[in-house]
Amino acid sequence: MSSLTVLFGVAGLLALAAAIVPKLVADRPFSVPLVMLGAGIGLGLLPLPAPYGDGWSDPAAHLHGVESFTQLGILVALAGAGLSVDRPFGLRRWGSTWRLLALTMPLSILLVAVLGHWWLALTPGVALLLAAALAPTDPVLAGDIGVPHPDVEPELARDNEIRFTLTTEAGLNDGLTMPFVLLGLALAGSEPKLDVSWVLVDLLLPIATGVAIGVAAGWLLGWAIFRTPSDRLRLAEYADGLVLLALAFLPYALAELAHGNGFVAVFVAAVAVRTQERSHEYHGVLHAFGRQLERLFVPLALLGLGLAVGDGLLRGLRVIEVLIAVVAVLVVRPVVGWVSLLGSSAGRPASLAIAFFGVRGIGTLFYLAYALNRIPVPQQDVLWRVGAVAVAVSVLVHGILAEPAIQRIERMGGHLPDR
């Protein structure tokens, strides 16, 4: 039996699971990602033939595949997240998001990098790579607690501070993590270039370029979807969710070709499309199609991680590696996030929830594969073990606690921003 045959069989079972599991776990204290991670671990313990005979537990043998697949999942999730944002853009209205991006993310990266250097004896560059990979909250795995579609619950989508902030943070920090990864790669290289022109051109300019291209691409796509004079060409006249893929791929490609940040461009473009037309029923079509794709990517990503874990990815795992993963997810992010939100309009209950529920997932796997694809790192086994444990801890803890905790805060009225 070939490994390809096994993969087809697993893919078929996975498609069924993607349709059935969400209904089975509804109103239960565990999530679809948690179920699929556990299923992957169980499959990994079985003597299944691995592709190309490299084994499931060696990410170094599949870096290009891991990077490409996770990148695809992130792009689809960013487009869906941006289309779900119904609150008008603004410094004040998005205040909690800006605090998390400007304070929580860089401070968390700094603290985790220090811990990686101190506890794991990683070089400064490698420690920064690890910290940056653990930084982005994930728009895919956060989808279940993110903003629902406004056609279903318009007030919840617009005014729910917890869900809005978690969605917009996840939508932007996947792209804003890239400068820290590039800085880590530069420090880990044999001849780091850290002059002012490199910082401006390679680290900061791509973000501005991504925003500009995202706004332009979003305006053009929004015009094509909702405002084209011809009924035959106006995409909103057709119940076709494939337009979501255009929104995910075109801004990314344009931004990357212009040396911009593609992830930022996709989310900004999706928000721009939403801004042009907030109430059209076509948003429901795009939202449903996006959720279907996410329901496929989540099981695949978590199943793959579980396969690697069950097959021996964590072989050689040390207590200190588990400790730094747990501290990064359950201590550093909540504490720094809480401090960053002090005095914000979110209010105390919402601030606590926002700070705690920083879900890790596909973004961590992408940036680990991205970095290790570009520079050989002697301690890459350590990075994969810590990253895998961090994602597993997040899926377990956040998957069990997120929805019950947020629903309780919503019943108490603590999810609305202070006016």
Side-chain angles (χ1 to χ4, degrees), residues 50-236:
Y52 313 113
D54 294 320
W56 296 101
S57 63
D58 183 14
H62 315 290
L63 284 178
H64 291 288
V66 173
E67 180 183 344
S68 298
F69 179 79
T70 52
Q71 182 182 39
L72 185 61
I74 290 172
L75 291 176
V76 171
L78 289 177
L83 287 173
S84 297
V85 176
D86 196 39
R87 184 182 300 186
F89 179 82
L91 293 177
R92 191 181 189 90
R93 296 187 184 100
W94 289 44
S96 297
T97 303
W98 304 137
R99 285 171 177 250
L100 292 177
L101 296 174
L103 298 174
T104 303
M105 188 176 74
L107 289 176
S108 297
I109 290 174
L110 176 61
L111 290 174
V112 175
V114 169
L115 292 178
H117 179 61
W118 181 24
W119 289 356
L120 301 178
L122 301 175
T123 63
V126 176
L128 181 56
L129 286 176
L130 175 62
L134 295 178
T137 53
D138 201 283
V140 179
L141 296 180
D144 291 337
I145 58 174
V147 175
H149 193 270
D151 289 350
V152 180
E153 297 171 276
E155 182 179 344
L156 186 62
R158 182 176 59 254
D159 296 330
N160 188 301
E161 188 72 6
I162 301 172
R163 297 178 187 266
F164 169 81
T165 303
L166 289 174
T167 298
T168 51
E169 179 202 12
L172 286 169
N173 67 10
D174 271 307
L176 296 180
T177 299
M178 183 61 79
F180 296 96
V181 172
L182 295 176
L183 181 59
L185 287 172
L187 291 173
S190 56
E191 297 180 1
K193 295 181 180 180
L194 302 177
D195 55 87
V196 175
S197 63
W198 178 81
V199 172
L200 292 175
V201 174
D202 285 19
L203 297 189
L204 301 182
L205 182 59
I207 295 175
T209 303
V211 172
I213 289 179
V215 171
W219 186 89
L220 289 172
L221 286 169
W223 179 84
I225 293 171
F226 299 110
R227 300 181 181 181
T228 306
S230 171
D231 291 344
R232 298 186 66 180
L233 296 179
R234 193 179 308 127
L235 298 175

Side-chain angles (χ1 to χ4, degrees), residues 216-311:
W219 186 89
L220 289 172
L221 286 169
W223 179 84
I225 293 171
F226 299 110
R227 300 181 181 181
T228 306
S230 171
D231 291 344
R232 298 186 66 180
L233 296 179
R234 193 179 308 127
L235 298 175
E237 300 298 324
Y238 306 95
D240 194 341
L242 288 174
V243 173
L244 180 79
L245 296 180
L247 184 55
F249 298 155
L250 286 176
Y252 178 84
L254 292 172
E256 292 293 321
L257 288 173
H259 193 62
N261 191 308
F263 286 164
V264 170
V266 172
F267 183 74
V268 171
V271 173
V273 169
R274 181 74 193 178
T275 300
Q276 288 192 54
E277 177 57 63
R278 298 187 182 279
S279 59
H280 199 287
E281 62 184 11
Y282 186 61
H283 284 298
V285 175
L286 296 177
H287 180 79
F289 183 70
R291 290 298 291 165
Q292 284 185 319
L293 291 178
E294 289 178 20
R295 283 168 55 190
L296 182 61
F297 280 111
V298 168
L300 276 173
L302 272 298
L303 188 80
L305 179 62
L307 277 169
V309 170
D311 194 45

